[in-house]
Amino acid sequence: MSDELRRIVAIDDPYLLLREVTTRLADAQQEVTELARLRRRVVQDLHAQGLSYAQIAAKAGLSRGRIHQIRHTGPAPEGAFLGRGSVTVATPLRRDDERGRTVVAVDDVSSGKRLEELARSYGLDVTSEHVPVTGAIDLDRDGLVVVCGPRMSQEMWDTYAQDPVLAWVRAEDGPWTVVDQKTGLVHRSGQDSAPARSYDVGYLGRLPRPDGQGTLLAIAGIHTQGSLGVVQLLTNDLNTLWGQVGDQRFSTLVGVEYDPDTSEPLSAELLCPLYRHDEEAAV
């Protein structure tokens, strides 16, 4: 019996005991899920290196059938791209100056809900919250997925500024753009171009937290359709993204063609490589 279990068993207050047991069970379930995810990842990695299931089983002291079962059951390793155990999806609130009230954009709601569904499909616990109109948000937490551009939050502006390759820059004629500082390309939304078209640019990156003790996943579009396109890319290609960058710091841009009537993405494709920030910093 572990020390923590002994502590809980010794509680006399039945209400406190009930609360402590419930909390511990939730924590234990998260731990079990992440251990199962890690176990499956190890088997997949070893198999990808050329080892047979029989060889892995012999070296690990398990049966071949057990190794094969681990490889094909349990939570998929790529779920760790979003977080471990639990994630918090944050989407922005906006100020309607005409009506004098706080509102949410429909596209932001859709992005948030789809991210929540995606995370749950990988066995992650999910909570949601809003970035207030002030932009103030505590970024020094594990498992954060923030759908918010730099214009709406000083905290997120400072976070995006840590990207060594992709920079948010306001064009001389007013609209926001994203500049690839490695190639010099300036990426601009179709809404801000002449002639206008149903095209937007989305940003996806894993960036350092202010406290330097971890990272967060940042998603933003020049307009809201860009964020929706990033979420679609994650939904369709999470395994590929995980295979390329794992849980390391990176950033990339997504070109999004969308339905002008519904804002739904029709296509979402990478506009540049997945820039690994450790490699870019070393250049």
Side-chain angles (χ1 to χ4, degrees), residues 2-31:
S2 68
D3 291 341
E4 177 66 5
L5 184 54
R6 288 193 181 93
R7 181 189 70 80
I8 293 174
V9 170
I11 295 174
D12 292 328
D13 184 330
Y15 302 105
L16 177 58
L17 176 61
L18 180 60
R19 185 166 64 249
E20 289 286 329
V21 168
T22 301
T23 300
R24 180 58 185 148
L25 280 171
D27 292 343
Q29 184 57 56
Q30 283 188 6
E31 186 173 319

Side-chain angles (χ1 to χ4, degrees), residues 1 11 29 38 60 62 87 156 183 220 238 248 252 265 279:
M1 183 182 295
I11 295 174
Q29 184 57 56
L38 178 59
L62 299 169
V87 300
M156 289 305 296
T183 65
L238 192 63
Q248 301 302 302
T252 192
E279 296 176 358

Side-chain angles (χ1 to χ4, degrees), residues 137-146 154-166 203-219 247-251 275-278 281:
I137 179 173
D138 177 13
L139 300 178
D140 294 330
R141 295 175 284 162
D142 293 334
L144 270 181
V145 181
V146 184
Q154 182 63 48
E155 285 82 355
M156 289 305 296
W157 174 270
D158 294 340
T159 299
Y160 285 111
Q162 302 303 307
D163 191 318
V165 184
L166 302 174
Y203 175 104
L204 170 66
R206 183 174 291 111
L207 302 173
R209 294 178 354 192
D211 64 1
Q213 300 302 308
T215 58
L216 59 93
L217 199 63
I219 296 171
D247 57 5
Q248 301 302 302
R249 291 186 293 117
F250 79 97
S251 58
Y275 292 121
R276 292 181 60 123
H277 292 176
D278 56 347

Side-chain angles (χ1 to χ4, degrees), residues 114 227-237 264-268:
R114 292 171 192 180
S227 298
L228 274 174
V230 171
V231 175
Q232 176 168 294
L233 183 78
L234 287 172
T235 302
N236 294 339
D237 297 320
E264 284 296 317
L266 301 175
S267 66

